[in-house]
Every structure is written in structure tokens, then in C-alpha cells.
Amino acid sequence: MTSIDDEKEELKRLVKHLREQLEQLHLIATHDEKTGVYNSTFFKSIFEFELRKAERDGTFCLVVIDLDFFKKVNDTYGHITGDKILKRTAEILKGGMRGADVAARFGGEEFFIILPDADRDKGRQVAERLRKAVLKDRFLKKHGLTISAGVAEYKKKDTFDTLANRADEALYEAKKTGRNRVVVRK
């Protein structure tokens, strides 16, 4: 027969194990497994929070970043190298963002970043800093990779789709006008 103290210890151990499992499940549910940044589903919930905050008293920017010629590199060096490139890019983005900024992988080689309390000028500055950080990275440079970015500032009545569309339009303009650049949309 076990003592009450033994049962309490076993219960504490089980509770600790359950907490660890819940933390692991939360991580799986909210983060992209290849890059460690948020996944698109969780990112959209953070976006909705920033949207409500901006509707009351502020602004924010959405930055859409795409790796230039990633498909070619992926096809040449393989998917394992491609995954390493995605992971390294995410690390560089996280390292170059401000503390309150939030990044997510939106599929393929596209990343979205929310810049809270940032106007277009601040959005451009952050995106340029990230672009230059990618240019300086030895691993990405070895594979000839650069990024293009589109920046759009929140406007009253924006939704995720309207703001993402403007940022995407800016990204496509960056791609059409030579890549490895940042374009800002009003």
C-alpha cells in the first residue's frame, strides 16, 4: 500500500508531465515546424488583435517577404538544403525585427511580418534592415539568395485580405522591378 506522500508525489509528476505535453501541443499548433516562426493560422489571430488595436488608436504595417529564386535553388540543391535556407532566413528575420514584431511563414518561401505601431516609413526601415541582413549572411549568399519585400500600412476599414493584398502588390512590384528590394504601398 502506498502512502499519501507517495501519491502526492506521483500526482505532482503527472501534472508536470501534462503541462509539458500541453506546452508541446501549443508549440505544434502555433508554429511552423521548418522555421520555428508562427504558422499562418496563429498569425492571423495576432493580426486580428493588431487590427482591433489600430482601429482604436494607431497603426501598424504588414510586410510580405519572399525569397528571390528560391525554387531554382531548391531544385538545384534539393529540399533538405531548401529547408535549411528557410530556417536560416527565419532566424535572420527574427534577429532583425523589433521586440514587438511578429513573423510567420505563409507557405513556400513567403513570410509575413506584423510591425505594431509602425507607419510606412518605419515599415520600410525594418524591411530594408532585414533585406540587408539577408544579403550579409554567408550561407544565403553562398546560394545566391536575396529577398524582396512589400510593405503596406494599415488604413481604416482594412481587413487581413485588403492589407495583405496591398503588401502583396508591393512585393510583386519589387519582383518585377529587379528583386532584392523593398516596395511600400499606401
Side-chain angles (χ1 to χ4, degrees):
M1 194 165 183
T2 61
S3 72
I4 291 177
D5 287 340
D6 289 342
E7 289 177 10
K8 284 181 181 177
E9 285 303 313
E10 177 65 10
L11 186 58
K12 284 180 186 177
R13 188 189 66 72
L14 287 172
V15 168
K16 180 182 178 201
H17 178 71
L18 283 173
R19 281 192 181 125
E20 290 168 354
Q21 292 296 307
L22 282 172
E23 287 175 19
Q24 184 65 26
L25 285 172
H26 182 265
L27 186 67
I28 291 168
T30 59
H31 289 74
D32 175 67
E33 72 175 319
K34 289 185 182 189
T35 62
V37 296
Y38 290 120
N39 61 34
S40 60
T41 303
F42 191 69
F43 181 85
K44 285 180 181 177
S45 66
I46 296 169
F47 180 91
E48 290 302 320
F49 171 80
E50 286 300 325
L51 189 67
R52 286 190 300 279
K53 192 171 93 173
E55 286 170 349
R56 286 190 311 270
D57 60 2
T59 193
F60 68 101
C61 281
L62 180 65
V63 180
V64 179
I65 291 175
D66 191 70
L67 285 161
D68 297 325
F69 303 112
F70 179 74
K71 182 176 176 359
K72 179 181 169 189
V73 171
N74 216 13
D75 290 346
T76 302
Y77 297 100
H79 292 283
I80 292 173
T81 299
D83 289 350
K84 289 178 183 175
I85 288 167
L86 291 172
K87 185 173 177 57
R88 182 64 190 138
T89 302
E91 290 168 355
I92 292 167
L93 296 179
K94 287 190 293 188
M97 294 178 351
R98 304 168 311 159
D101 299 341
V102 178
R105 180 169 170 233
F106 254 74
E109 67 277 12
E110 194 168 66
F111 294 88
F112 279 32
I113 302 173
I114 295 171
L115 305 175
D117 302 315
D119 61 14
R120 284 190 311 266
D121 291 336
K122 188 62 169 174
R124 179 190 305 276
Q125 289 171 9
V126 172
E128 276 294 338
R129 183 171 62 240
L130 297 174
R131 186 188 66 76
K132 289 175 183 174
V134 166
L135 272 178
K136 290 179 185 175
D137 185 75
R138 289 169 58 183
F139 177 67
L140 296 180
K141 186 184 276 190
K142 176 178 130 180
H143 292 91
L145 282 167
T146 58
I147 61 171
S148 294
V151 179
E153 183 179 358
Y154 164 79
K155 292 181 189 177
K156 292 288 183 203
K157 305 221 185 226
D158 260 334
T159 64
F160 176 80
D161 289 341
T162 59
L163 188 55
N165 283 339
R166 284 200 317 281
D168 246 355
E169 288 170 2
L171 171 65
Y172 288 124
E173 186 178 329
K175 296 258 186 202
K176 280 193 262 181
T177 57
R179 302 180 192 262
N180 188 26
R181 64 190 67 226
V182 173
V183 173
V184 179
R185 274 276 193 239
K186 290 184 178 186

